[in-house]
Amino acid sequence: KQEVTQIPAALSVPEGENLVLNCSFTDSAIYNLQWFRQDPGKGLTSLLLIQSSQREQTSGRLNASLDKSSGRSTLYIAASQPGDSATYLCAVTLSYNTDKLIFGTGTRLQVFP
Amino acid sequence: SQTIHQWPATLVQPVGSPLSLECTVEGTSNPNLYWYRQAAGRGLQLLFYSVGIGQISSEVPQNLSASRPQDRQFILSSKKLLLSDSGFYLCAWSGTDTQYFGPGTRLTVL
């Protein structure tokens, strides 16, 4: 059974810092991995999607990497801003069942001025 | 463009009362639809998904049921709510490679 874990559970940093969020998964047979952002009391917004054949994806100040063989992904946020404060969730799609996403428990990020 | 709606946004219900949450999608046809629950301090748990009208797959045994009476309508129901049903309920539809989420319903069972 695929399990997705995110570390740390919570993170508080001053504005301007570069930071790394970690995601690990137990079954390397994934179709893709995604990072989502969730603002308090809101739905999820997709940030980055990495196909299983890819190593990384970038969007603005965000960079996500994928090491499928070791079951790990990282989300790197450069020059953090207070507007980055949110919960970040990673999710994997299994290669043998692409209908479903399996989510990690999330990292709650607070960036203070 | 595609949009997804959920209502109500917030709901407070007594234990033992019935539940009906509705999700509708616009701008796409025959989408895969999903119901998730996010309990306090826990991750997103997939409850049900549907690949078409009347086709429902249940992921976990529970006090809830789902129905899909129309192509773009997905309903989450319960006959008698439990305290443990409290949480944030999210509906989603599946596009190319990713899922798009609705704004959610905050359910508090007292």
Side-chain angles (χ1 to χ4, degrees):
Chain A
K1 177 185 173 184
Q2 177 72 274
E3 293 184 0
V4 182
T5 305
Q6 290 187 245
I7 295 173
L11 185 62
S12 183
V13 300
E15 182 177 8
E17 276 204 5
N18 302 324
L19 51 99
V20 175
L21 309 182
N22 297 291
C23 172
S24 62
F25 46 95
T26 55
D27 186 346
S28 62
I30 64 169
Y31 179 69
N32 62 37
L33 182 145
Q34 299 178 64
W35 284 91
F36 290 86
R37 169 184 172 138
Q38 185 178 27
D39 292 293
K42 305 291 185 183
L44 277 66
T45 302
S46 180
L47 297 173
L48 290 166
L49 182 150
I50 311 176
Q51 300 290 356
S52 62
S53 58
Q54 297 175 323
R55 297 285 291 181
E56 65 178 345
Q57 284 287 335
T58 298
S59 176
R61 294 182 293 107
L62 305 179
N63 175 276
S65 67
L66 174 64
D67 184 341
K68 197 174 74 164
S69 61
S70 68
R72 295 182 180 181
S73 175
T74 61
L75 178 67
Y76 176 81
I77 302 176
S80 58
Q81 303 171 357
D84 295 329
S85 299
T87 296
Y88 291 81
L89 297 156
C90 73
V92 299
T93 302
L94 298 176
S95 58
Y96 48 87
N97 186 343
T98 58
D99 285 336
K100 299 188 289 185
L101 287 172
I102 300 172
F103 282 86
T105 51
T107 293
R108 190 171 65 253
L109 172 66
Q110 182 181 11
V111 181
F112 54 90
Chain B
S1 64
Q2 301 87 0
T3 55
I4 180 168
H5 304 279
Q6 286 186 246
W7 64 89
T10 305
L11 192 59
V12 180
Q13 292 284 95
V15 169
S17 64
L19 173 74
S20 180
L21 303 182
E22 190 163 343
C23 170
T24 58
V25 181
E26 297 177 357
T28 185
S29 59
N30 197 32
N32 285 1
L33 296 173
Y34 305 82
W35 277 112
Y36 291 89
R37 177 170 61 202
Q38 191 173 35
R42 302 183 65 180
L44 229 59
Q45 181 184 37
L46 178 62
L47 301 176
F48 302 95
Y49 75 98
S50 171
V51 298
I53 295 174
Q55 301 179 64
I56 308 295
S57 296
S58 175
E59 289 298 297
V60 293
Q62 59 204 310
N63 185 43
L64 302 168
S65 62
S67 62
R68 186 169 177 176
Q70 300 180 41
D71 180 46
R72 289 170 285 180
Q73 184 184 31
F74 205 19
I75 296 172
L76 184 69
S77 303
S78 174
K79 292 181 179 178
K80 289 184 178 181
L81 283 169
L82 306 173
L83 286 174
S84 58
D85 292 325
S86 293
F88 190 53
Y89 289 82
L90 287 161
C91 179
W93 70 274
S94 184
T96 304
D97 286 338
T98 191
Q99 292 182 13
Y100 299 91
F101 287 79
T105 294
R106 171 73 59 191
L107 171 66
T108 303
V109 182
L110 301 175

